[in-house]
Amino acid sequence: MSFGSGKGTRLLIEDVDLSAFFSGTDVAREMKAEETTTYQPGVAAPARSYVVGLLNGHVTLRGYYDSSADAVDPSIRNALGAAAGQVFTWAPLGSGIGAAADLISSRYTKYTVHDPVDGAIAVDGEIQADGPVDDGVVVHDLTAETTTGTQGTSVDGGAATTNGGVAHLHCINTVAGTSPTCTVRLQDSADNSTFADIAAGAFTAMNNVRDATRRQRLVLAAGSTIRRYVREARVIGGSAGPTFTYAVALARR
Amino acid sequence: MSAYRVLRGLNYIPAGQVVEKRVEAGEIATDLLAVSIPWLLEDGLIEPVSDEGAQEAQDQAPAAVAAPDATTEPEAGS
């Protein structure tokens, strides 16, 4: 048994690390129980019966107000009502490689600012998962990468899986260098010695333009294999010290 | 030494070396790890090529053939 503290929680939403603005997160998974109760003549203890219905996910965030660029207020305010969902990764035990992470395609449904006369201005937000809450692991911590080094440490999933998965890439806005480029891909291995590119497991290349490439969600096709060991690999180009700070998480399905 | 056409990009550290090597899809590899070859074949990530085919690939596109890494130690006497 291994308990953990929430103090190191990493909360990545789109291309921003919002960890330092929040102090509490509730991630709820729900299953709709569909009733199938029928007449039960002669049954000694009649009872309701149910079948498994649809899954659902919901997130509640609590934190403190900050209106600076890339802080909590503009990040959520701008996302509320946006047509596209937000790439949301929550790692309650921190974002070290191998740490557990929940991956959600999220939709903000509520954002509240609390402004008391005798306290810190606080915020809370509510998020609806657009699809399932996927159970994953971090395969690249939120750290800077340069042209030195091309791959991360592998994560042992225990066994191969055959139902695809989902992966998130969050690159925060600290890209450096001249004409920097960065392509991140996912690799897997059956023996932790030779690693193969995962089919459709390459993220769109990033450069010095802050756009959708800094916040990507890949869905690996249902039925596709992910072998036992997984890792992240990268190719960084450019000059004058190209640097990208990003995190990657992968969930098997 | 057996030669294989790589059908999906691979990374590995060839035997006796310390630096990881990258081989792109379509390239010919002659130094794959013996322990990995069975599952790479079974999963359709590589396919065997004849010695003639490997030589032909080297002749036609030497730059595309997986060459030993730049850090490879030179063989004795070379």
Side-chain angles (χ1 to χ4, degrees):
Chain A
M1 186 175 291
S2 177
F3 297 118
S5 165
K7 63 187 178 186
T9 294
R10 181 77 75 183
L11 195 53
L12 301 168
I13 306 177
E14 297 285 82
D15 55 1
V16 180
D17 177 11
L18 290 178
S19 310
F21 302 101
F22 288 109
S23 58
T25 308
D26 302 325
V27 178
R29 293 169 170 78
E30 303 165 357
M31 185 278 292
K32 180 77 181 300
E34 303 290 1
E35 185 165 3
T36 57
T37 307
T38 61
Y39 301 127
Q40 299 164 58
V43 174
R48 295 178 181 275
S49 60
Y50 296 86
V51 294
V52 174
L54 295 174
L55 300 176
N56 193 16
H58 186 263
V59 179
T60 301
L61 302 167
R62 295 176 299 280
Y64 297 97
Y65 179 86
D66 187 332
S67 62
S68 307
D70 285 341
V72 63
D73 185 66
S75 295
I76 299 181
R77 193 184 293 268
N78 294 334
L80 196 67
Q86 289 79 49
V87 182
F88 178 103
T89 302
W90 171 65
L93 297 175
S95 56
I97 292 177
D102 282 355
L103 286 68
I104 301 172
S105 177
S106 68
R107 303 274 183 177
Y108 282 106
T109 57
K110 186 177 182 182
Y111 175 55
T112 306
V113 178
H114 307 276
D115 184 14
V117 68
D118 61 347
I121 303 175
V123 299
D124 58 54
E126 294 183 12
I127 287 172
Q128 171 64 51
D130 183 6
V133 177
D134 286 293
D135 303 329
V137 293
V138 174
V139 293
H140 188 274
D141 196 357
L142 186 67
T143 54
E145 296 291 354
T146 64
T147 53
T148 301
T150 57
Q151 71 282 328
T153 303
S154 64
V155 177
D156 184 357
T161 52
T162 57
N163 198 33
V166 61
H168 285 181
L169 166 70
H170 304 268
C171 180
I172 64 173
N173 193 30
T174 54
V175 171
T178 301
S179 301
T181 60
C182 178
T183 300
V184 175
R185 60 175 170 265
L186 299 166
Q187 295 186 314
D188 64 4
S189 174
D191 60 9
N192 207 25
S193 294
T194 299
F195 281 82
D197 294 351
I198 292 178
F203 293 96
T204 303
M206 300 178 284
N207 54 34
N208 55 0
V209 178
R210 187 177 185 183
D211 59 14
T213 63
R214 303 274 185 89
R215 47 189 190 275
Q216 297 186 55
R217 176 179 168 90
L218 282 182
V219 177
L220 306 174
S224 63
T225 296
I226 301 176
R227 295 174 187 83
R228 175 175 172 175
Y229 300 92
V230 294
R231 72 178 191 181
E232 161 272 349
R234 73 200 78 95
V235 177
I236 294 179
S239 58
T243 304
F244 290 81
T245 300
Y246 64 91
V248 179
L250 170 67
R252 299 168 185 263
R253 285 181 168 170
Chain B
M1 185 175 291
S2 299
Y4 297 89
R5 177 172 287 106
V6 173
L7 303 177
R8 194 180 299 167
L10 299 178
N11 287 57
Y12 57 96
I13 301 175
Q17 297 188 30
V18 295
V19 176
E20 187 165 289
K21 174 179 177 178
R22 169 76 180 172
V23 182
E24 298 294 344
E27 295 181 359
I28 305 295
T30 59
D31 56 359
L32 292 172
L33 301 176
V35 68
S36 301
I37 290 173
W39 70 264
L40 292 170
L41 283 169
E42 183 178 346
D43 290 359
L45 302 179
I46 60 173
E47 62 182 11
V49 294
S50 63
D51 292 343
E52 293 78 10
Q55 186 59 51
E56 186 177 325
Q58 286 185 340
D59 293 343
Q60 291 181 351
V65 175
D69 191 273
T71 59
T72 303
E73 292 288 334
E75 293 182 7
S78 62

